[in-house]
Structure formats: structure tokens, C-alpha cells
Amino acid sequence: MNINRSARQLAGILCVAAGLGLADSSTLRADSPPEMSPDGLRLQKDTGSRVIYVRPGAKFGKYDKVAILDCLVEFDKNWQSNYNSQQVDPSAFVSTDDMNRIKKELAQEFKKVFTRQLQANGGYQVVDTAGPDVLVLRPAIINLRVTQPDLMTPGVDMTVIRSAGSMTLYLELWDSMTNTILARAMDAQADQGLGGPQVASSVSNTMAADFILRQWADTLRKNLEAARAKSTG
């Protein structure tokens, strides 16, 4: 069975986030989300800045394969207007086409980074079919803010930035055979500019995004491997 996702399901990600009061990173506080989600997941305690829900009794140790669905990417709803209002030259305005290109590139980067990190050193096989040992990852990146997007416009002055921007991961984990949601996580992260101020470019933006994506993928793998070790111990 091929694992696909419809546009209606993609839109459902944001609807669920909004329903939980999680659609904006400013709500990521331990006392904000409800104890139980409408679909029966329980809020986990002591998860730091992350908001994590898990289905009571869910077992993750049996999974040694993952299917990674295409990542939905959505900008912060005010990002385009805020960015363009700060530009003097109309040639520096961000268009809808620019935003669609950035979203497509980030979605591709998500798939590449998560596949590489989850497969590394004999980790999890990445597949596109269902099975009793296949865990489906249903990801979205929302609230995307890019400090200085590379619009590929000739003659645009170079801009030095301290942070490439920020984004929020919204990730659901599903059992591929029963089509049951097992967990949901949300985590807002910003580029910390660890290398110091740098000239903004497509390369620097991709490097900043990759750093955050690797952190998310490695955290997921660490927790899945801990559950698998516990189940076989």
C-alpha cells in the first residue's frame, strides 16, 4: 500500500494546531495546552519548550522503519507584509512565487535531512509502503520567518544578519497499518547565529535550516531508539 497524503489532510494539520491553541509559537508554554487533545492524546510533562502529546499505551519499540510524508510548509501569516513594508526598492519585495519557491525548497530539505539522519549508522529504514513495523511521520513546518530571503535579484546589496530566521515543527506519528495517530509534537526554534554575523544568502539560509532540521531529526531518532531498546531489554 502506497502511503500518500491529500491536500485536505495537509490542511487538517493546521486546523488541529489551531484547535489545540498551538498555531502560533507564542503559545508554546507548558501551561497553555490542554491535558488531553480532542483525539485522545495526553500532554507529556517536563518536555521543556516542546509541546508533546502521546496516546496512552502507545508502544514505539516495534518500529524499525519510517515513512516520511511530504512536509507542508507555511510562512507566518504576517511575514510577507512585514518584510515588504521594510523594503525601499520594490525589486526587493517578496512575491508569492518567491514564497512558493522557498516553501518547496525547505520541504525538500526536510525530507533529505530527516532521511539521512534517521538512516545513519544502521538506524531506521525509510520506506514508502505500510507495514506492521512502519511508523509514518506526518510533518509540517509552520510560522516560517526568513530574515533575509535570497530573491536572486541582480544588483541587490548584500545584507549582514545575525539570525537567518525561525520556524516551528509540527510532527505527527502514525501507525501505518491501523491509521492511528500515536503522538504529536510541536517545537519552535530560531537560528542562533552561532557562527556570528554573516552575509545572508541561499547558502547561509540553507545551512541554518539544516542545523535546526538535524536537531529535530536526531531528537526523534534518540527517543525512538530509546523506546526500541526498552522494548527489547
Side-chain angles (χ1 to χ4, degrees):
M1 175 178 96
N2 288 331
I3 298 176
N4 297 309
R5 181 173 53 175
S6 68
R8 180 179 299 177
Q9 288 174 309
L10 285 173
I13 288 180
L14 297 183
C15 289
V16 172
L20 290 174
L22 302 176
D24 188 274
S25 59
S26 64
T27 67
L28 291 181
R29 303 186 304 270
D31 59 347
S32 293
E35 288 294 320
M36 294 292 293
S37 70
D39 49 1
L41 306 185
R42 184 179 298 279
L43 180 67
Q44 303 300 291
K45 305 296 185 181
D46 302 320
T47 57
S49 62
R50 300 183 181 95
V51 176
I52 300 175
Y53 283 85
V54 176
R55 182 170 297 283
K59 305 295 184 183
F60 296 92
K62 68 176 183 179
Y63 301 105
D64 57 17
K65 301 180 181 67
V66 296
I68 306 174
L69 301 185
D70 292 337
C71 184
L72 170 70
V73 179
E74 292 292 346
F75 278 86
D76 175 86
K77 64 180 180 180
N78 297 317
W79 177 79
Q80 183 183 27
S81 59
N82 289 342
Y83 181 86
N84 287 342
S85 68
Q86 298 172 15
Q87 308 307 310
V88 176
D89 185 352
S91 67
F93 287 0
V94 172
S95 68
T96 299
D97 286 343
D98 291 324
M99 294 173 68
N100 288 337
R101 173 179 56 82
I102 293 170
K103 290 194 290 186
K104 180 179 179 180
E105 291 172 351
L106 184 53
Q108 292 172 338
E109 200 67 18
F110 181 98
K111 188 72 168 284
K112 182 178 75 175
V113 171
F114 265 66
T115 297
R116 182 182 67 230
Q117 297 303 114
L118 292 175
Q119 286 186 148
N121 301 318
Y124 288 81
Q125 183 180 351
V126 177
V127 300
D128 60 3
T129 56
D133 55 355
V134 176
L135 183 67
V136 178
L137 310 187
R138 187 183 183 205
I141 289 175
I142 59 177
N143 302 328
L144 175 63
R145 302 178 182 94
V146 183
T147 303
Q148 185 66 43
D150 186 350
L151 304 181
M152 305 179 184
T153 304
V156 174
D157 293 336
M158 293 185 297
T159 302
V160 176
I161 59 173
R162 293 185 176 275
S163 171
S166 61
M167 56 186 175
T168 299
L169 174 67
Y170 181 96
L171 179 66
E172 294 180 347
L173 308 182
W174 291 69
D175 181 90
S176 67
M177 294 298 288
T178 64
N179 200 30
T180 301
I181 184 170
L182 304 176
R184 177 181 293 116
M186 194 170 181
D187 185 36
Q189 291 291 332
D191 172 40
Q192 301 299 315
L194 300 179
Q198 57 185 315
V199 174
S201 67
S202 60
V203 173
S204 63
N205 286 342
T206 299
M207 289 177 61
D210 279 3
F211 183 83
I212 295 173
L213 292 173
R214 285 197 304 271
Q215 287 183 309
W216 282 333
D218 290 345
T219 297
L220 174 63
R221 175 172 168 169
K222 177 181 177 181
N223 284 290
L224 290 177
E225 287 180 337
R228 189 162 61 177
K230 185 176 180 180
S231 69
T232 58

